[in-house]
């Protein structure tokens, strides 16, 4: 009984068992059929050791039923019964021979989780043996109990049918055994076991989610599972697994007892502790393995809360949790791991035996398992990722082992399986998995080139053929795509293919493999013939005409969808062609860098240069177009990869090299020197039309300039280039010629940029944004204005006559670039400085007009300011205190009379309580004010500060594009006529900016006191 309780702990508390509640909840979700399957053992168990439970009752039922229906089939004869019993014994002994044979087969086979049981179940031997033994027992009983007088026809019929059943079943077993021997389905059973393990893992994950949800719903508010806690509060472990003797797998949890333990903890906080500051954390999940030191119950505390947990809590918690030595459920992990190990061992054995067909068969199991995983409910889970990663690693290790043998058939088998996996994932739209297994090609190449042998070149060639075949299939899929989404899906995989090509380029340079470099160089050229919409039927132009001529809306929509796909194909094909040119340029430059540093043999670089580089980069215009386009917007090529010497197979660990753009520019300049002929430029003055650089469509900002790089070019390296001698002479002349062309190009680009700015129209949105920003910051910076508004001394009015009131502000020529649509470069406008100067000028003018109505006071030091202000406030009726510069403002804020919590408006920084029986004076900070302190007092007649503007904004801002008429208007005829062409061109690149602020002051009485600090 004890053993039964240990195996099924829920029998002690069925109504509060977490395990039972989980089972019942799954039954509600899945139905009764699922519960029946869950409670019964697996099918193979019912065909092996548990088969006696059904075969014996079924045999009795069939035999007695037939005897009853067909009676009398035989006459009652004791002699027949004796003969039948003897034959039964003989046949039964033969059945044991079959069992011994099967057991011997199992013994001689490598053990695999569940596979041997599948093999025995497929033979159907155990049910037949149980049936034979049972029928033998029935016949023995009849032989010893019956006599000639008591033997009946019915008994003889039953014995006869039992005997016939024995013969038939044993014959069926012989058939099954022969079939198993001839077809050997153990590998198929192995794959089925892995799939069952995956299904069991899915079932385990579903059970675990439900088992975790039940405590979430059951536990009180102050308790939760530790896996749900993301708190950064102070955590204290109350009990660990070894302290309460809960070592092992959590087989079940008594929820009622668990809640009792929590209630005892809740009642134990120290006096004055808020219960809401305590959160209990349970670190127990069904099936979880608890080891010594692992916390079972913890507590999160906040705000200095403390808790003293009674010893009884641990005892109750130990009673609530039942642990077992083994996992309470079959998670399927052992099935998966052991059978995957068997496949891996079988692959290695096939490699050792040079058995390519066996290797292919076992690698196909990997392929089928990958297919099963990606279509199972765990496809996006960590379990799926773990299985896929494991198979991915095994592919690499298997290839490494096959490469060591140098056997072409083995290597081609692995490469073919990788090809089929990549193609399958592409067709299924599994982009991540496609990229993962496509990346194996790079590692395969590195492994192959690390081998020594006569067949290495052939193996690498086969590797490149496989890559090319994959490219052909991807290109064909691109050609068949009918919608934009389909085009983009295929294009994403083609981009990954180019990344593999890039890696092979990089490694071929590192390895000095000129043959592979040259083959890859030509691999990406003219590759989109099958997908080019201009070559398809109908082509893109015919399809566009069909769209225009279509009458029915539905037909037009279908044709338009197809046309959109064609346009997208044309775009991505153009992108891939450009990016492959970028890739070629970078690979050539990287090879040159390795050649320059002595890392690449001269003969290898000569082969690369003669067969590939010199045949593609044949003109300065094309060379410059590729280089400048690459600098501006590389979309596929990863420049970061080319700044690393190598990367780990799985970790992408990189070692730094010089910045990519440095050696790209140097290579560009070297090629330009080779392509330039000083004899083609006899004179000193080069016409712009003769400069090949001027044909480039590049902006001033994007053009890199080559002066510094030309200074660093090494003539010795140039002379080592594998070209004809006539191309290597006149190094200095070639360099100076390129320098002149570059200087001229920079001057032309400067002029183009100036022309662009001159011709560009002002962007109304940018002009308005500047005005809004200026006005907003002006108002925020002008604190004195806000103080006067709070005192109701400030008014606003329209400006009727601008000339009647002198403005504060400025009129100036300002760069036009920030206000045009295509700005290209950021321009720092220094708004803060300009506005601060403007506000300072306005305040100075205001105070100059207010001076007659302000009393002047002087204090000896900054520390004396608060006391003097308090004395002056006592004799006046203060309404506001304006603090100017930093030190007097700091003295006010540090005084005891200052109240930082006082808020009169959103702009004041506090209040000044100069005496207890008087109102607090609001304090404002105005850093732009020259007086140290301005104390405003209540006048007899309220003053008026009137702000006047032509618009609703307090500041009038006008920004006008400059033309010749505006120059003449602003400067006058005489000054305008004196301007040079360069001066006029400079002004045309500017705008005329007018920022004006107008204010009138009307004061008749004293309004306050100016307090200054004596200079020390």
């Amino acid at each position: 009984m004890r053993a039964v309780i240990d195996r099924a702990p829920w029998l002690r508390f069925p109504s509060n068992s977490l395990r039972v509640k989980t089972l019942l909840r799954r039954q509600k979700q899945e139905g009764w059929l699922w519960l029946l399957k869950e409670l019964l053992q697996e099918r193979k168990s019912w065909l092996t050791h548990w088969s006696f439970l059904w075969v014996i009752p079924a045999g009795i039922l069939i035999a007695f039923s037939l005897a009853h229906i067909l009676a009398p089939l035989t006459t009652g004869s004791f002699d027949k019964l004796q003969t039948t019993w003897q034959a039964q014994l003989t046949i039964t002994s033969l059945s044991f021979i079959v069992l011994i044979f099967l057991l011997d087969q199992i013994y001689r086979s490598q053990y695999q989780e569940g596979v041997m049981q599948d093999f025995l179940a497929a033979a159907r031997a155990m049910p037949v043996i149980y049936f034979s033994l049972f029928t033998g027992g029935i016949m023995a009983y009849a032989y010893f109990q019956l006599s000639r007088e008591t033997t009946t026809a019915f008994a003889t019929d039953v014995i006869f049918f039992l005997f016939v059943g024995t013969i038939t079943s044993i014959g069926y077993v012989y058939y099954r055994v022969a079939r198993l021997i001839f077809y050997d389905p153990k590998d198929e059973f192995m794959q089925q076991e892995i799939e069952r393990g995956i299904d069991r893992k899915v079932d385990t994950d579903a059970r675990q989610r439900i088992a975790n949800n039940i405590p979430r719903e059951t536990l009180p508010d102050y308790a939760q599972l530790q896996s749900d806690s993301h708190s950064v509060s102070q955590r204290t472990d109350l009990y660990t697994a070894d302290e309460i003797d809960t070592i092992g797998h959590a087989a079940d949890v008594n929820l009622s007892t668990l809640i009792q333990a929590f209630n005892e903890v809740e009642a134990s906080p120290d006096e004055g502790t808020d219960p809401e500051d305590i959160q209990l954390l349970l670190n127990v999940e069904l099936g979880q393995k608890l080891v010594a030191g692992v916390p079972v119950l913890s507590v999160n505390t906040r705000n200095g809360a403390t808790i003293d947990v009674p010893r009884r809590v641990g005892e109750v918690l130990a009673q609530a949790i039942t642990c077992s030595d083994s996992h309470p459920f079959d998670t399927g992990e052992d099935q998966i791991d052991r059978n995957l190990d068997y496949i891996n061992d079988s692959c290695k054995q096939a490699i050792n035996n040079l058995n390519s067909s066996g290797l292919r068969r076992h690698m196909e199991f990997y392929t089928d398992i990958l297919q099963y995983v990606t279509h199972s409910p765990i496809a996006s889970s960590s379990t799926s990722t773990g299985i896929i990663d494991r198979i991915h690693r095994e592919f690499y290790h298997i290839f490494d082992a096959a490469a060591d043998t140098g056997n072409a058939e083995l290597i081609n088998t692995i490469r073919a399986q990788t090809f089929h996996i990549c193609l399958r994932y592409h067709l299924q739209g599994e982009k991540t998995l496609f990229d993962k297994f496509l990346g194996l090609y790079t590692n395969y190449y590195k492994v192959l080139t690390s081998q020594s042998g006569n067949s290495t070149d052939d193996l690498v060639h086969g590797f490149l053929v496989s890559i090319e075949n994959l490219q052909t299939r991807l290109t064909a899929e691109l050609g068949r795509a009918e919608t934009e989404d389909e085009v983009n899906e295929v294009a994403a995989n083609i981009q990954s293919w180019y990344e593999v090509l890039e890696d092979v380029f990089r490694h071929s340079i590192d390895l000095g493999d000129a043959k592979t470099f040259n083959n890859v160089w030509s691999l990406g050229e003219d590759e989109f013939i099958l997908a080019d919409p201009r070559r398809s039927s109908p082509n893109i132009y015919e399809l566009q005409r069909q769209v225009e001529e279509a009458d029915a809306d539905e037909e037009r929509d279908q044709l338009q969808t197809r046309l959109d796909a064609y346009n997208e194909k044309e775009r991505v094909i153009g992108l891939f062609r450009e990016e492959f040119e970028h890739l070629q340029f970078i690979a050539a430059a990287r090879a040159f860098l390795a050649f320059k540093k002595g890392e690449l043999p001269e003969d290898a670089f000569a082969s690369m240069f003669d067969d590939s580089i010199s045949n593609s980069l044949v003109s300065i215009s094309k060379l410059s177009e590729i280089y400048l386009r690459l600098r501006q917007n590389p979309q596929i090529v990863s420049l970061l990869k080319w700044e690393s010497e190598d990367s780990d197979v799985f970790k992408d660990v990189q070692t730094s090299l010089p910045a990519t753009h440095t050696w790209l520019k140097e290579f560009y300049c070297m090629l330009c020197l080779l392509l330039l002929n000083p004899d083609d430029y006899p004179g000193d003055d080069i016409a712009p039309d003769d400069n090949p650089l001027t044909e480039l469509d590049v902006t001033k900002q994007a053009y890199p300039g080559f002066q510094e790089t030309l200074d660093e070019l090494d003539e010795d390296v140039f002379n080592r280039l594998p070209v004809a001698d006539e191309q290597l002479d006149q190094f200095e002349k070639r360099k100076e010629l390129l320098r002149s062309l570059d200087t001229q190009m920079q001057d032309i680009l400067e002029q183009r940029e100036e022309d662009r700015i001159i011709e560009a129209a002002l962007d109304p949105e940018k002009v308005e944004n500047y005005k809004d920003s200026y006005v907003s910051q002006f108002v925020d910076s002008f604190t004195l204005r806000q103080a006067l508004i709070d005192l109701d001394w400030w008014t606003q009015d329209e400006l009727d006559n601008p000339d009647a009131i002198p403005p504060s502000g400025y009129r100036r020529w300002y760069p036009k670039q920030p206000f045009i649509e295509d700005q290209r470069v950021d321009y720092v406008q220094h708004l803060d400085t300009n506005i601060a100067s403007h506000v300072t000028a306005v305040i100075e003018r205001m105070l100059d007009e207010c001076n007659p109505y302000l009393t002047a006071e002087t204090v000896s030091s900054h520390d004396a300011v608060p006391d003097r202000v308090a004395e002056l406030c006592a004799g006046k009726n203060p309404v506001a205190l304006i603090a100017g510069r930093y030190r007097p403002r700091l003295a006010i804020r540090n005084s005891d009379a200052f109240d930082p919590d006082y808020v009169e408006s959103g702009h004041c920084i506090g209040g000044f309580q100069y005496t207890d029986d008087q109102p607090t004076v609001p304090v404002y900070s105005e850093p732009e004010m020259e007086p140290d302190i301005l104390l405003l007092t209540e006048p007899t007649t309220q003053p008026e500060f009137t702000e006047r503007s032509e618009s609703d904004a307090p500041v009038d801002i006008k920004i006008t594009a400059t033309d010749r008429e505006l120059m003449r208007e602003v400067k006058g005829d005489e000054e305008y006529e004196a301007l040079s062409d360069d001066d006029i061109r400079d002004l045309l690149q500017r705008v005329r900016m007018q920022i004006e602020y107008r204010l009138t002051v009307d004061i008749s009485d004293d309004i306050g006191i100016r307090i200054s600090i004596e200079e020390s």
Side-chain angles (χ1 to χ4, degrees):
M1 187 66 180
R2 175 64 180 231
V4 174
I5 293 296
D6 289 341
R7 291 176 62 88
W10 53 269
L11 292 174
R12 293 179 295 173
F13 41 87
S15 60
N16 294 307
S17 167
L18 175 60
R19 192 167 175 174
V20 173
K21 289 181 180 293
T22 302
L23 183 67
L24 294 177
R25 182 166 296 187
R26 285 209 69 187
Q27 181 273 321
K28 290 181 180 179
Q29 295 178 357
E30 308 289 347
W32 288 103
L33 181 60
W34 173 88
L35 180 62
L36 180 63
K37 293 179 179 179
E38 183 71 14
L39 295 177
L40 296 178
Q41 295 289 330
E42 293 184 358
R43 173 175 172 269
K44 58 187 177 183
S45 300
W46 291 95
L47 292 175
T48 52
H49 51 280
W50 290 111
S51 59
F52 69 89
L53 294 176
W54 61 270
V55 71
I56 293 175
I60 293 175
L61 178 62
I62 293 172
F64 276 82
S65 299
L66 291 175
H68 176 73
I69 294 172
L70 302 176
L73 183 66
T74 62
T75 59
S77 172
F78 185 77
D79 294 334
K80 294 179 180 179
L81 179 63
Q82 182 181 11
T83 303
T84 304
W85 180 43
Q86 292 173 350
Q88 173 73 20
L89 292 177
T90 303
I91 294 172
T92 302
S93 64
L94 293 176
S95 68
F96 276 99
I97 294 176
V98 176
L99 177 62
I100 292 171
F101 172 76
L102 292 175
L103 293 177
D104 181 68
Q105 288 291 311
I106 294 172
Y107 174 76
R108 293 175 182 274
S109 302
Q110 179 179 346
Y111 178 76
Q112 296 167 249
E113 180 75 12
V115 172
M116 295 299 101
Q117 190 176 1
D118 281 329
F119 185 82
L120 195 58
R124 307 291 193 269
M126 292 300 294
V128 173
I129 291 173
Y130 283 138
F131 180 74
S132 300
L133 291 174
F134 171 72
T135 56
I138 293 293
M139 293 181 186
Y141 174 80
Y143 179 76
F144 287 108
Q145 294 297 322
L146 299 177
S147 63
R148 296 182 184 278
E149 293 78 13
T150 57
T151 301
T152 63
F154 181 77
T156 306
D157 288 348
V158 170
I159 295 301
F160 173 73
F161 284 119
L162 289 175
F163 177 68
V164 172
T166 301
I167 294 175
T168 304
S169 60
I170 290 178
Y172 177 68
V173 168
Y174 285 167
Y175 162 75
R176 299 283 301 185
V177 169
R179 186 178 179 185
L180 289 174
I181 292 173
F182 291 139
Y183 294 99
D184 191 14
K186 285 187 293 184
D187 290 338
E188 180 183 347
F189 293 156
M190 170 196 60
Q191 182 178 337
Q192 292 174 0
E193 281 299 312
I194 295 176
E195 293 174 357
R196 288 195 195 106
I198 294 172
D199 294 339
R200 181 58 62 185
K201 185 62 180 175
V202 173
D203 186 74
T204 300
D205 294 343
R207 181 196 304 113
Q208 196 64 56
R209 286 193 297 270
I210 295 175
N212 289 345
N213 286 334
I214 292 175
R216 292 188 183 106
E217 301 166 1
T218 307
L219 296 179
D221 295 339
Y222 53 83
Q224 65 178 162
L225 296 178
Q226 184 166 310
S227 58
D228 296 337
S229 174
H230 305 288
S231 173
V232 295
S233 306
Q234 183 177 359
R235 177 178 297 176
T236 304
D237 295 337
L238 300 180
Y239 294 102
T240 58
D242 51 321
E243 290 175 345
I244 58 176
D245 195 22
T246 54
I247 302 294
H249 293 271
D252 206 349
V253 177
N254 188 335
L255 296 174
S256 176
T257 307
L258 184 65
I259 293 174
Q260 179 185 346
F262 285 150
N263 290 337
E264 299 222 6
V265 176
E266 186 193 23
S268 60
D270 296 342
E271 185 177 354
T273 298
D274 188 350
E276 294 185 358
D277 290 336
I278 295 177
Q279 183 75 47
L280 297 177
L281 303 175
L282 178 66
N283 186 28
V284 176
E285 297 180 1
L286 200 61
Q288 176 184 352
K289 187 174 183 180
L290 302 174
V291 297
V294 172
V296 176
L297 185 65
S298 306
V299 60
N300 268 349
T301 57
R302 297 176 299 181
N303 302 326
T306 57
I307 184 172
D308 186 14
V309 180
R311 183 184 300 273
R312 171 169 166 72
V313 172
E315 299 173 357
V316 176
L317 192 61
Q319 296 173 7
I321 302 172
T322 303
C323 291
S324 62
D325 294 335
S326 60
H327 201 287
F329 307 105
D330 180 9
T331 62
E333 292 181 0
D334 288 342
Q335 288 175 273
I336 296 173
D337 291 341
R338 292 180 182 178
N339 285 288
L340 284 177
D341 287 341
Y342 175 79
I343 298 176
N344 183 39
D345 293 342
S346 299
C347 289
K348 291 180 179 178
Q349 184 177 1
I351 292 173
N352 293 334
N353 297 332
L354 303 181
N355 183 2
S356 60
S357 61
L359 177 62
R360 180 176 61 254
R361 186 177 73 254
H362 286 93
M363 293 197 72
E364 285 174 353
F365 291 143
Y366 277 137
T367 305
D368 294 339
I369 293 166
L370 287 171
Q371 186 73 0
Y372 190 83
V373 169
T374 53
H375 287 83
S376 69
I378 64 169
S380 58
S381 68
S382 59
T383 302
S384 169
T385 303
I387 295 175
I388 293 172
D389 287 346
R390 176 172 177 175
I391 295 177
H392 179 260
R393 288 193 300 270
E394 294 301 341
F395 263 61
Y396 176 76
H397 294 312
I398 290 171
F399 189 89
D400 195 14
D404 288 339
T405 67
N407 186 279
E409 291 186 5
L410 294 177
I411 293 172
N412 291 336
T413 297
I414 301 172
R415 194 187 64 229
Q417 290 300 316
T418 306
F419 173 84
H420 291 310
I421 290 176
C422 291
L423 187 60
R424 179 176 295 181
Y425 281 140
H426 162 69
L427 296 175
Q428 292 175 357
E430 299 283 353
K431 175 69 170 61
T432 303
L433 297 178
F434 174 84
D435 292 349
K436 191 178 192 69
F437 283 88
L438 182 65
L440 286 171
Y441 274 104
T442 304
N443 300 319
Y444 290 172
Y445 170 69
K446 293 175 65 177
V447 171
L448 288 176
T449 52
S450 66
Q451 305 299 319
S452 59
N454 298 327
S455 61
T456 300
D457 289 345
D458 294 335
L459 294 175
V460 173
H461 176 72
F463 155 81
L464 293 175
V465 169
S466 181
I467 291 182
E468 188 174 17
N469 290 339
L470 185 59
Q471 172 203 28
T472 303
R473 291 297 300 266
L474 292 175
T475 304
E477 288 294 323
L478 181 63
R480 285 192 289 267
E482 294 290 338
T483 65
E484 284 187 81
D485 291 339
E486 292 177 359
V487 171
N488 290 327
E489 287 178 6
V490 180
N493 288 339
I494 294 177
Q495 177 174 336
S496 301
W497 182 87
Y498 272 108
E499 291 174 2
V500 171
L501 221 58
E502 180 180 4
D503 290 336
V504 176
F505 253 141
R506 189 162 53 90
H507 293 307
S508 68
I509 296 169
D510 295 338
L511 298 169
D513 185 0
K515 186 174 182 180
T516 299
F517 180 94
N518 295 330
N519 288 333
V520 174
W521 186 281
S522 61
L523 196 60
E525 297 177 349
D526 299 328
E527 70 280 13
F528 291 105
I529 296 177
L530 297 177
D532 193 339
R534 291 171 295 182
R535 298 171 179 260
S536 59
S537 179
N539 60 40
I540 190 171
Y541 310 109
E542 294 173 349
L543 191 59
Q544 189 169 2
R545 179 178 53 79
Q546 292 176 12
V547 171
E548 296 172 354
E549 295 176 354
D551 296 329
D553 292 341
E554 183 176 356
E555 180 187 5
R556 185 184 301 106
D557 291 342
Q558 292 176 352
L559 291 172
Q560 184 62 49
T561 300
R562 193 174 178 186
L563 179 61
D564 292 341
Y566 274 30
N567 289 328
E568 184 65 12
K569 287 180 191 179
E570 196 168 36
R571 186 190 70 82
V572 299
I573 288 174
L575 171 65
F576 287 139
R577 283 173 173 161
E578 289 182 357
E579 290 300 315
F580 187 68
E581 290 177 342
H582 296 169
L583 180 56
Q584 288 177 319
F585 184 89
I586 293 177
R590 181 66 180 86
F592 171 74
L593 176 64
F595 165 72
K596 173 187 172 183
K597 296 171 66 176
E599 298 171 355
L600 183 65
E602 292 196 11
D603 58 341
F605 180 72
S607 176
M608 295 175 183
F609 193 89
D610 292 338
D611 296 343
S612 300
I613 300 174
S614 61
N615 294 330
S616 298
L617 306 175
V618 295
S619 71
I620 292 183
S621 299
K622 183 63 177 178
L623 177 68
S624 303
E625 178 189 346
I626 296 173
Y627 171 65
L628 295 176
R629 192 174 62 216
L630 171 62
R631 284 182 53 90
Q632 294 176 41
N633 188 26
Q635 298 186 42
I636 296 178
V637 177
S638 172
L639 295 180
L640 180 61
K641 281 186 178 181
W642 293 90
E643 290 182 2
S644 65
E645 292 179 349
D646 203 354
S647 61
D648 184 75
V649 175
F650 299 107
K651 298 296 184 181
D652 289 336
V653 178
Q654 298 179 340
T655 306
S656 177
L657 280 177
T660 307
H661 289 298
T662 302
W663 46 269
L664 286 179
K665 185 183 289 189
E666 182 179 359
F667 175 70
Y668 169 82
C669 290
M670 277 291 187
L671 283 187
C672 286
L673 293 185
L674 288 177
L675 296 172
L676 285 174
N677 186 356
D679 296 336
D680 295 337
Y681 301 88
D684 294 335
D685 295 331
I686 302 174
D689 293 340
D690 295 335
N691 188 341
L693 298 180
T694 60
E695 301 174 8
L696 303 176
D697 183 15
V698 63
T699 65
K700 170 191 172 184
Q701 292 76 21
Y703 186 74
F706 305 105
Q707 301 296 321
E708 294 181 0
T709 304
L710 288 172
D711 292 337
E712 297 173 359
L713 290 184
D714 189 345
E715 184 175 0
D716 292 337
V717 175
F718 180 77
N719 291 331
R720 289 168 53 202
L721 292 176
V723 294
D725 292 340
E726 57 267 18
Q727 286 185 270
L728 298 177
D729 60 356
Q730 299 179 314
F731 174 76
E732 290 298 331
K733 286 187 177 181
R734 292 173 185 268
K735 190 164 68 170
E736 290 306 315
L737 174 59
L738 181 57
R739 191 188 303 278
S740 300
L741 297 176
D742 177 58
T743 302
Q744 185 183 58
M745 180 62 176
Q746 294 189 51
D747 294 340
I748 292 173
L749 290 177
E750 180 71 29
Q751 185 174 2
R752 288 179 186 174
E753 179 68 10
E754 292 177 357
D755 292 340
R756 183 187 69 86
I757 295 175
I758 292 172
E759 296 170 1
L762 297 185
D763 185 345
E765 184 177 355
K766 290 186 176 181
V767 172
E768 288 302 318
N769 288 341
Y770 181 88
K771 292 180 179 180
D772 293 343
S773 298
Y774 192 97
V775 171
S776 175
Q777 293 187 43
F778 179 87
V779 171
D780 291 341
S781 302
F782 199 172
T783 309
L784 179 57
R785 174 180 181 272
Q786 186 59 45
L788 297 177
I789 292 175
D790 293 342
L791 295 175
D792 203 22
W793 292 4
W794 193 274
T795 60
Q796 288 181 293
D797 199 359
E798 293 184 2
L799 179 64
D800 297 329
N801 184 8
D803 297 331
I805 304 173
S808 296
Y810 46 83
R811 300 174 181 178
R812 61 179 179 178
W813 303 103
Y814 194 81
K816 183 180 180 180
Q817 194 169 13
F819 302 107
I820 61 178
E821 184 174 358
D822 185 11
Q823 187 174 333
R824 291 189 180 174
V825 295
D826 294 332
Y827 187 85
V828 181
Q829 303 191 40
H830 304 291
L831 266 184
D832 294 341
T833 304
N834 294 338
I835 291 172
S837 300
H838 194 181
V839 171
T840 301
V842 172
I843 291 176
E844 288 177 353
R845 178 173 291 186
M846 286 176 58
L847 294 180
D848 286 345
E849 296 191 35
C850 295
N851 256 341
Y853 308 98
L854 294 172
T855 304
E857 290 285 340
T858 303
V859 295
S860 58
S861 67
H862 295 92
D863 296 335
V865 168
D867 293 339
R868 185 54 180 158
V869 169
E871 293 174 2
L872 294 172
C873 288
K876 301 285 185 179
N877 186 13
V879 292
L881 180 63
I882 317 297
R885 289 179 293 184
Y886 172 74
R887 292 188 65 185
R889 184 167 68 249
L890 181 63
I892 292 292
R893 299 188 72 152
N894 290 339
S895 69
D896 295 336
F898 182 74
D899 180 9
D901 298 327
Y902 175 81
V903 179
E904 176 69 18
S905 71
H907 290 76
C908 70
I909 61 174
F912 191 80
Q913 185 69 47
Y914 61 94
T915 182
D916 294 338
D917 57 351
Q918 294 296 327
T920 302
V921 181
V923 179
Y924 297 85
S925 171
E926 179 54 271
E928 310 303 333
M929 187 177 70
E930 183 177 345
D932 294 311
I933 297 293
L934 180 62
L935 178 63
L936 299 179
T937 59
E938 185 69 38
T940 304
T941 303
Q942 180 172 313
E944 288 187 1
F945 295 82
T946 305
E947 190 176 71
R948 302 181 184 276
S949 64
E950 298 181 30
S951 61
D952 295 335
V955 183
D956 291 324
I957 303 176
K958 294 180 181 179
I959 299 175
T960 309
T962 303
D963 56 21
R964 295 177 180 272
E965 293 182 3
L966 182 61
M967 289 186 222
R968 186 181 296 275
E969 178 184 340
V970 172
K971 293 184 172 292
D973 293 338
E974 183 177 350
E975 186 177 353
Y976 173 75
E977 294 297 337
L979 293 175
S980 65
D981 291 342
D982 290 340
D983 293 336
I984 293 176
R985 188 174 180 83
D986 180 67
L987 288 176
L988 289 174
Q989 298 175 60
R990 297 178 178 273
V991 295
R992 183 63 176 174
M993 181 180 291
Q994 296 182 193
I995 300 180
E996 300 175 340
Y997 180 82
R998 291 175 172 83
L999 180 71
T1000 58
V1001 179
D1002 185 9
I1003 307 175
S1004 58
D1005 293 327
D1006 289 345
I1007 60 171
I1009 304 169
R1010 294 178 58 146
I1011 303 175
S1012 301
I1013 299 171
E1014 292 181 353
E1015 297 289 340
S1016 57

